[in-house]
Amino acid sequence: MALTKRIKCFKYLVYCYVVLLTVTGCAQIFIGTSLLWGHSGYYGIVQNKLWAPAAILLCLGPITFILCWMGCQATNQRKRCLLGMFTTLLVTCICVQFMLCGWSLAMRENLPSSVEIFIDDSFVEFLDKFSRTKVDNLHLWNRMQSQLQCCGVDGPLDYRRLSLPWSCCSRPEHAYESACDTHYKRGCLAVVSEQIKHRLLITAFSAAIIAIFQSLGLFCAVHLTILFGKSDNGYDNNKLSKKRQQQFLPLSIQDKRQDMPSPLSLSPTAPGHRVIKTSAQGGQK
């Protein structure tokens, strides 16, 4: 009886834990999507790099939802193996998030050198095209300089003998015209590096905090798995003990049980009359 009460109590705790996992899965999807959306402003300039941590955090959201469904099914149907699989996969996801936190922090420390190489290569291509045409108003550099309010790699002096593009003007007189009175002073390398550092830091802390919250109910899931095992073992032991008791009954009692009459049945030819069918005895018809 005490075991049944404990199982019932821990089942409700696991249900609450599944609700918590659902909230963390929504947080993973929301944070991962927001970070990837912010990265899309300069993904082509950094050669589509440095987006992997946010993408992994986003992918863990649907996986968490699948684990929530698995946990509910295992708890409702009292499936010990499925609940153990749920716990194992959840521990794996938590470990992945802690690894993601460390990877994001390590990437953040090595960021300036890698981003500088990407931006320098992209800026050289932009200068070559800008010096020949000056009409590519939708180029990634024009969009980035306008959105991030920066100019060049290290500043406006990167253009030297060329006229500044319209995207460097803080208040352009006419749209897409290079002539302007005021322009942005800071370079895009510093702005992009700071934004990427900020997003990697958010990814690292989000992964760590979500992993900690997901670890809170692991004890309940593990303990419920153990209780299911004890319940199954107790049921099997009771069944085995009853079978042994029947085997060790005295022979006289077993013979009497075998000679007991079969249940009453109705005669199909005489409705309303009861015919008692007894076991066939020697010499009687």
Side-chain angles (χ1 to χ4, degrees), residues 210-225:
I210 291 174
I212 292 173
F213 274 104
Q214 290 180 348
S215 305
L216 295 178
L218 277 177
F219 169 76
C220 299
V222 173
H223 196 69
L224 184 61
T225 306

Side-chain angles (χ1 to χ4, degrees), residues 34-55:
S34 301
L35 294 173
L36 287 177
W37 180 261
H39 185 76
S40 63
Y42 44 79
Y43 72 93
I45 294 176
V46 295
Q47 298 183 9
N48 209 15
K49 304 291 184 181
L50 309 172
W51 56 270

Side-chain angles (χ1 to χ4, degrees), residues 121-270:
D121 294 341
S122 177
F123 187 69
V124 170
E125 296 177 1
F126 172 67
L127 281 182
D128 181 62
K129 192 170 185 179
F130 181 70
S131 63
R132 289 185 287 106
T133 62
K134 298 187 179 182
V135 294
D136 191 6
N137 296 323
L138 298 179
H139 194 276
L140 288 174
W141 268 92
N142 279 324
R143 282 189 289 170
M144 184 184 69
Q145 290 177 146
S146 178
Q147 292 174 1
L148 302 183
Q149 298 182 355
C150 57
C151 187
V153 177
D154 298 313
L157 294 178
D158 290 336
Y159 288 96
R160 291 183 179 91
R161 299 177 182 177
L162 298 175
S163 59
L164 293 178
W166 67 269
S167 55
C168 283
C169 300
S170 57
R171 287 192 297 245
E173 297 179 359
H174 301 284
Y176 306 141
E177 288 188 2
S178 58
C180 58
D181 296 333
T182 58
H183 52 78
Y184 303 122
K185 306 296 183 183
R186 56 182 183 174
C188 293
L189 175 61
V191 179
V192 172
S193 298
E194 286 301 321
Q195 288 202 6
I196 295 178
K197 281 185 177 181
H198 181 66
R199 289 188 173 89
L200 288 174
L201 189 63
I202 292 176
T203 305
F205 276 102
S206 300
I209 293 173
I210 291 174
I212 292 173
F213 274 104
Q214 290 180 348
S215 305
L216 295 178
L218 277 177
F219 169 76
C220 299
V222 173
H223 196 69
L224 184 61
T225 306
I226 297 173
L227 292 178
F228 281 165
K230 290 182 179 180
S231 177
D232 294 340
N233 292 334
Y235 176 77
D236 294 339
N237 291 335
N238 291 334
K239 192 174 181 180
L240 184 61
S241 62
K242 288 181 181 180
K243 187 175 181 180
R244 288 180 178 177
Q245 288 176 3
Q246 292 178 358
Q247 290 176 353
F248 287 101
L249 285 175
L251 294 178
S252 60
I253 297 177
Q254 294 183 14
D255 294 337
K256 288 181 180 179
R257 288 188 174 183
Q258 292 177 358
D259 294 337
M260 288 179 64
S262 60
L264 298 178
S265 63
L266 293 176
S267 173
T269 57

